[in-house]
Amino acid sequence: MSRRLAHLSDEALVALVARADEDALAELYDRFGRVAYGLALRVVRDPALAEDAVQEGFLAVWRSAARFVAERARASTWILTLIHRRAVDLVRREQPRRTESLEGVPPAAGDDTEEQVWLGLQRGRVQEALRKLPDKQREALELAYYGGFTQSELADRLGEPLGTIKSRMFSGLAQLRESLGESGLKEERWNATESTS
Amino acid sequence: MERHGIHELSGAYALHALDPEEERTFEEHLAHCDECRGHVAGFQEVGALLAHDVEAPPPPPALRQRILDGARAERPNVVPLRERRRWVVPVAAAAAVAASFAAVGLGIWAASLSSRLDDERAALDGSEQAVSVLAREDADRIPLSGANGTLVVDSSGSAWLVVFGLDAAPSDKTYEAWIVHDEGTTPAGLFRGGGSHTVVKLVRKVPPGSSVAVTLERAGGVEQPRNDPVFATARSA
């Protein structure tokens, strides 16, 4: 389904969603549902909770699409940010956070679809960029993003002053942004620059 | 140092890692700090890429339908585009269009060839453009009658037509936009249509109380409309 929408950009789909086009929402789900679910599962570590996070995230897309400003962000970033926030909120509310390995999610089915290949490629880029970070920056970012820890929880957990955690997160992200900018963020759109509003 | 401190929070904010109280404080700061907004936007892009460093099974197939059902259940207060595809000119617009076209028939017309837009540049076709136009802040978005789309008018009167699925004009024809107001009807640009989206910035402003109509005319455009509007809409006074 949604074949009439397959050629539209993510941003155009969000514009249609803002006008209550259900097919456009379905198309966005088809594009990002898998990444969204993977992310949610990594954060909440529970399949049922992960589904809740994805559902709430996409409903937030449905409700707030009219407020999305294409000049300010990519639609994919906006959607995954909403999913991530839902997942983190859920894990904070529902589940005592696990402190052990962050690699405990079930493995992917071994399909070799084009989507999987693309996801694998993205994954490789991100992992390489993460590897280039100093260990402590990487640790802080991973625990915050995938673990759902707040910076003050991190300070407690890692036994570091809060100020140290803050600057670690900032400089870690700045460095990631730079190295992903070399390999991953190159396809800037014409309107991805400054907001004009 | 204090200032430096709050700027630094853009990292944790982008990862949703501030405590609730701090998050509220930072959002207030964000509202008037361009630098932090820039950082947050960039860091959120990084976050979205981190989302890809996950190996997980696909979501259960039923989730898709559940989301769509949930969306339908809380249908927002807007009318879906597809239900608007009727050829009904709003009453005011219809009256204005009719009056103006009658005036044209009497030969009252201010020709303005210089305002004619170059076809190629006038008809931007692209979804990003459509979205960025549709998403403009401080703009009125007025649905079209007779086509699937919107007239976007900002506070200065600058206006864009965003039309979805408009058939391309035949090779010997062009679409021509008109601004219809009390003083008459003024050409406002030529475009070709076709593709999934057509975005046209009108070469003239659309004052309150005027209408915008689009006709199909011979290639190169005409100084006065010779055909009935294909679609139209009105900006309230």
Side-chain angles (χ1 to χ4, degrees):
Chain A
M1 85 174 281
S2 306
R3 277 200 60 210
R4 75 181 175 91
L5 300 175
H7 61 291
L8 293 188
S9 69
D10 302 336
E11 288 72 23
L13 289 172
V14 173
L16 291 174
V17 167
R19 311 193 63 167
D21 189 316
E22 289 166 19
D23 291 346
L25 184 69
E27 177 71 22
L28 283 176
Y29 179 81
D30 292 341
R31 291 186 193 183
F32 298 109
R34 182 165 188 152
V35 173
Y37 180 73
L39 170 64
L41 191 58
R42 181 154 182 188
V43 173
V44 302
R45 287 156 192 285
D46 174 280
L49 274 182
E51 285 188 51
D52 287 350
V54 173
Q55 180 165 359
E56 288 180 23
F58 274 94
L59 289 179
V61 168
W62 176 249
R63 282 178 218 126
S64 55
R67 294 202 295 274
F68 171 73
V69 180
E71 285 93 344
R72 295 208 184 132
R74 292 162 191 246
S76 56
T77 297
W78 179 66
I79 291 168
L80 292 171
T81 302
L82 286 172
I83 301 283
H84 179 254
R85 292 179 77 91
R86 288 305 186 288
V88 166
D89 287 344
L90 270 182
V91 81
R92 284 184 190 155
R93 203 187 313 145
E94 304 276 340
Q95 210 186 24
R97 213 120 351 88
R98 307 216 178 148
T99 53
E100 65 271 30
S101 157
L102 289 166
E103 303 302 327
V105 293
D111 54 347
D112 192 29
T113 60
E114 202 179 316
E115 185 190 24
Q116 275 303 90
V117 171
W118 184 83
L119 288 177
L121 207 67
Q122 290 289 90
R123 197 168 178 220
R125 279 177 184 160
V126 173
Q127 285 177 337
E128 195 193 330
L130 281 169
R131 263 199 304 275
K132 285 196 240 160
L133 288 182
D135 290 347
K136 291 193 164 184
Q137 287 184 6
R138 182 172 59 244
E139 175 185 54
L141 291 183
E142 289 190 340
L143 285 171
Y145 189 76
Y146 302 118
F149 291 93
T150 66
Q151 56 177 10
S152 43
E153 286 172 330
L154 279 183
D156 286 349
R157 182 182 146 86
L158 301 174
E160 306 264 14
L162 183 56
T164 306
I165 299 295
K166 285 179 185 175
S167 50
R168 236 176 238 174
M169 264 195 221
F170 185 92
S171 44
L173 278 168
Q175 194 176 323
L176 263 190
R177 185 183 181 184
E178 199 170 313
S179 53
L180 286 168
E182 291 162 10
S183 65
L185 297 172
K186 255 182 186 159
E187 13 112 33
E188 289 294 318
R189 296 191 326 265
W190 67 279
N191 63 351
T193 50
E194 293 298 302
S195 160
T196 52
S197 57
Chain B
M1 198 61 199
E2 184 56 31
R3 180 171 161 73
H4 177 65
I6 196 146
H7 281 279
E8 225 171 35
L9 294 185
S10 54
Y13 177 79
L15 302 187
H16 196 32
L18 292 177
D19 297 298
E21 181 66 19
E22 224 170 4
E23 190 169 86
R24 271 191 297 277
T25 309
F26 185 73
E27 279 176 349
E28 283 164 23
H29 167 73
L30 202 56
H32 51 82
C33 179
D34 289 342
E35 185 188 336
C36 280
R37 275 203 301 276
H39 281 141
V40 167
F43 292 161
Q44 282 178 338
E45 287 220 8
V46 173
L49 288 169
L50 290 178
H52 291 85
D53 184 18
V54 168
E55 203 172 344
L63 179 59
R64 183 180 192 272
Q65 194 55 46
R66 226 172 39 243
I67 288 170
L68 296 178
D69 290 345
R72 193 168 303 132
E74 52 175 81
R75 172 179 286 285
N77 191 20
V78 294
V79 182
L81 279 173
R82 274 161 295 146
E83 290 176 16
R84 284 209 195 98
R85 225 179 259 178
R86 282 165 292 142
W87 174 224
V88 183
V89 182
V91 176
V97 168
S100 124
F101 282 62
V104 167
L106 294 171
I108 305 166
W109 187 262
S112 180
L113 291 173
S114 64
S115 71
R116 195 178 291 168
L117 269 184
D118 172 58
D119 287 31
E120 297 300 328
R121 289 188 323 185
L124 303 174
D125 184 353
S127 44
E128 282 89 358
Q129 288 95 327
V131 168
S132 77
V133 167
L134 285 170
R136 289 183 81 86
E137 290 177 4
D138 304 314
D140 287 336
R141 279 165 277 271
I142 309 161
L144 303 177
S145 295
N148 199 350
T150 305
L151 173 73
V152 180
V153 188
D154 74 10
S155 50
S156 75
S158 294
W160 295 259
L161 282 169
V162 180
V163 193
F164 296 89
L166 182 67
D167 292 339
S171 59
D172 57 340
K173 307 257 187 202
T174 180
Y175 288 104
E176 187 155 11
W178 310 95
I179 302 201
V180 183
H181 41 82
D182 291 342
E183 290 77 36
T185 298
T186 323
L190 304 180
F191 58 100
R192 282 188 176 144
S196 62
H197 294 67
T198 302
V199 181
V200 184
K201 184 172 194 300
L202 300 182
V203 290
R204 290 181 188 281
K205 297 198 169 186
V206 177
S210 61
S211 299
V212 171
V214 170
T215 58
L216 201 52
E217 305 290 357
R218 66 168 160 72
V222 292
E223 289 117 46
Q224 51 184 282
R226 299 186 178 167
N227 293 289
D228 289 335
V230 180
F231 57 87
T233 193
R235 188 178 181 208
S236 55

